[in-house]
Every structure is written in structure tokens, then in C-alpha cells.
Amino acid sequence: MTFRHYCTYLEHTYLPRLVAMADSLRRHGGGFRLHVLCLSDLCADILAALAIPEIALIRLDDVERRYPELLDVKPTRSQIEYFFTLTPHLPAYCLATDTALDEITYLDSDLCFFADPQAIFGGAKFGRFNVGWITYRRTEQGLRCLADYRRDCIEWCFEALEGDRFADQKYLDRWPDAYAELAIIEHKGVNVATYNVDAYDVTERDVRIRCDDEPLIFYHFHGVYHDTDGHYAVLFPREHGAREATVIRRVYRPYLARLIELRQELRRRFPGFAAAPSITRLLPIDPVKFGELAQWGSDGLVRRCLAHAVDLRASARRGEWPQDPSLRHFMDFADLLAQATSDGRLSVLDWGGGFGEFHWCARALWPELAIAWHVRELSAVCDHGAAVFPETRFLDDDTAAVAPSFDVALASGALQHAADWRAVLGQLAGAARQFLIILDLPVSDGLSVFIQERPLSFLPDAVFASPVLPLPTLTQLLAEHGWTHARDLPPSFAQPTVGGGPQVAYRSMVFRRTT
């Protein structure tokens, strides 16, 4: 397989995207070197500390010294316009400073690869009709194209449409007439993005994402922005987003989950990264407003919960999980999991279990135990969770979730949100062999009512409407399935205040199979 050289530029805000892109190239692209122009000192310092083997650092000062005309125009350009001006200078710098390079491919730093990019090189000579991917070869036309592009961007490169010019982009429209060797790649799976993906039927077949009948090679995530509270704001493609299609579930959500995981890791490791302001070309995007009531399973909420979960996992790995209020509840029923263990194995169905936080506690407490932990959750949680927590199996279908049997079935603060809680309770009762544990369930002795909950300590403004379940009906249903109440556990939520009507309380209960 041919060894490839790529180049890109970025400042520190885009570091999670760069690492995600490098990871995807490593999985799919064979041997490569990625030459990275660092647009901030913090970016360079962090990349030097990360010491990613395939990445070669280039400092902005070095490029500006080689091309002093950049400094002449720098005061006349906005920050993003100056970045655009750099686009042709980076590959030119790589070719000029390493005469052994026969070609260099410029990549935008927010690409992610899903298949081997060799198919692109097989059909191109040195060009691609989009700034997101441009390959320049050391030929007379390739070098002339690059020199012309540099001159054009020095002369004019502004984020405004003026005739046939816009930033660094529309100069490419002239290339087909100017360079006979130009090859425009027509592969449908190249440079797929919000502006063209809705034209394709995107499916997953044989563990590969396809655009119509061609494999997706790389996706350009230019619709992913930073909002003012540091989280990611996303513009999903209109058609695919409206129906939560394969593009959302198998392309966007796994990528965003990986960005969140990387961002949280960088924040923990590098205090300067956590404190640094985000740099964006857009006006600030307001953070998600949860309003009167939040919606479980919404992508904005799930991404915020994932960031919290990634931090909790890091705490669990450091052995700090008993002190965290979100995980401390685990010790209230850990003895039951130990009792349910057989032959060094434990299987758990965690219905509504979020990202499987209790699973990390179990692994930290019993590192030698073979644990099969299954989480039944909403699709958005499953799609994000599977990308970051591969040790947990995520299921978004009740039938598949309860098909096998488990030593323990667990429902934590979730049963009341089921569309048909009686049916779900019956399924859990049928799936568990030894213990059924129901945590933080709002119940009453009378009729069902609704309360408002704030169950997320890290998002106190997120308010949820929660049904209150009738406790006598619940215990009777379980008795009919062969279960008896064994003991109560302390609830982790404060008892709700309800004016008038039936008395409401949070209950955490353990049931033991009797038949």
C-alpha cells in the first residue's frame, strides 16, 4: 500500500477533530504522514505533548518566514480570512521543504474517513473540485496550479461573494479551463457533507456505509460548530435528519461521540485547553435551552450527558467513583450483583441505563469478573454510547433486549418513562433470573399523577415530566410473575413535593424471584 502525505491546518479548538481524523486514517488509509500547521501556540504545544506518531508539526512562524507576503496581507484580513489565505501556502511549504515528496494532499481538519481513500488517488492526477481535499503532484502543471492559487489568495481572500470570488473556494472554478491535467473526482462517497448528502440514498450494508451504490470514503463535518457553553452544536442534513436515517445514526452520532470523548480527555490533561476560548468563524450559537420540559433522547441533551459520562468513567478508572454522587448509589446494591455471580460471570440488563455508568463501577470493584452488561436505551443514547463505551452492549429495541435471560435486571430512574410500563415490567420480570432492582421510581398508593423532576445534577435547568406509578399495581404485577419484594434501598433523589392528591415518594426496591 502506498505511503501517503497529507497536510492540514487548525488551531486548538479543532484538536479533537484532528485526532479523530488521524484515527480514521489509521484505520482505513494505510501508512501516512500528516503535516499539521498549528495556528496557535497552544495547538502546537498540545500536539507536541500528544506525540502522535503520524503527525509532523509545522509552526505558523516558519510558513510566514518562507512566504513573507503573508505578513503583508495579514493586517487586512479577519482571522478566518487569514486562515483561508494560508490554504495554498501550506502544501506549497510542504513540497518546498521536502524535495522527496512527489505529491501532497491538503485536507480540511474536520474530515472523517470510513473507507480506504486509495480509490481517490486512483482516479485523480492532482486536483479535487473542493478545498476540503486537494492533491498536488510535483509536475509542471501541479506546481503552476499551486503557485497561481497562492498568488490569487494573496491578492484577494475575503469571506464575501464578489463576482467570481469567495474566500479561497471559488478560485477552483477556473481550474478545469486552466489545467489540462486536472481530474475532478466523481465518486459519490467523496466529500459527502450536509450540502449534498440528501441527494443520496445512504445505507449500511456489509458493515459499510454506502451513498447510493458507492462506499462512503470520507465525510466532511463542516456543519459542526461550538456553542457558547463549550458543547457542540450541529446542523444535521434536512432530509436524513428528519427521519433519523443511517447518516445520523451511523455517521454523525458516532463521530460526535468521539469528538466529545477526545474533548473531555484534552480538558482533563491540558488545563490550558480547558481554559482557552473557542475560536469560531460564526456568530456564537446559544446553548441548548431546555425550556419548561426537557426531552429524553434529544441529541443536544444526549451530547451533554455523554460529556458528563466520559468524565465519570475517568473518575471510576482512577478509583474515585464511590465519592461521586452519580455513582455512589451503586454500592447500595453491589452485594446483590455479587450474590448473582456464578462461575466468575455476571450478566445484567440495565433498562434505561444511560451510558452504562454502573457497569464501570462493577468493573472497578471486580476487575477479574467476566461481566456482560446490556443497556436498553433510546436510539440517540445507543448510537453515541456504542462509539465511546465498546465494553457495554447497547440495544434500542425491547424485544432484542429481553430475548436472552440475565442474572439481574436493573431499571434506574427509567421505568416510569416507558410508553407502557406494565409491559416493560413484565418483560424485565421474564428476563431476570435472580434479582430485579428498580431504582428511584416515583410511586403513590393512589391514582397515577405527574410530577416534574430535575434528575441531572450537572444540568439543573433540565426539567422532565414524570409519571407517578401506582405501587400496589406494580407489586401485584410482579407477584403474578413470580417475584416478591426483598428489601428497600435508599433513593438517590430527594422526595418530591406534591400539593394535594395522592402521597408521592421515590422508592428504590429489590425483588427476588420466588418461582
Side-chain angles (χ1 to χ4, degrees), residues 1 40 72 85 90-91 137 205 232 254 265 271 303 324 371 378 389 430 435 437-438 465 469 489:
M1 185 175 290
S40 67
D72 294 336
T85 304
L90 173 57
R137 285 188 173 170
R205 302 197 304 273
Y232 290 106
E265 290 176 357
R303 289 194 295 271
D324 191 292
I371 303 174
L378 300 170
F389 309 114
F435 295 108
I437 304 172
I438 302 175
L469 304 189
L489 304 173

Side-chain angles (χ1 to χ4, degrees), residues 478-512:
L478 286 177
E480 293 171 0
H481 284 85
W483 293 85
T484 186
H485 178 256
R487 79 183 201 216
D488 274 5
L489 304 173
S492 60
F493 294 168
Q495 297 302 330
T497 300
V498 180
Q503 185 64 38
V504 176
Y506 281 108
R507 294 283 297 275
S508 292
M509 300 166 284
V510 177
F511 294 86
R512 183 188 298 272

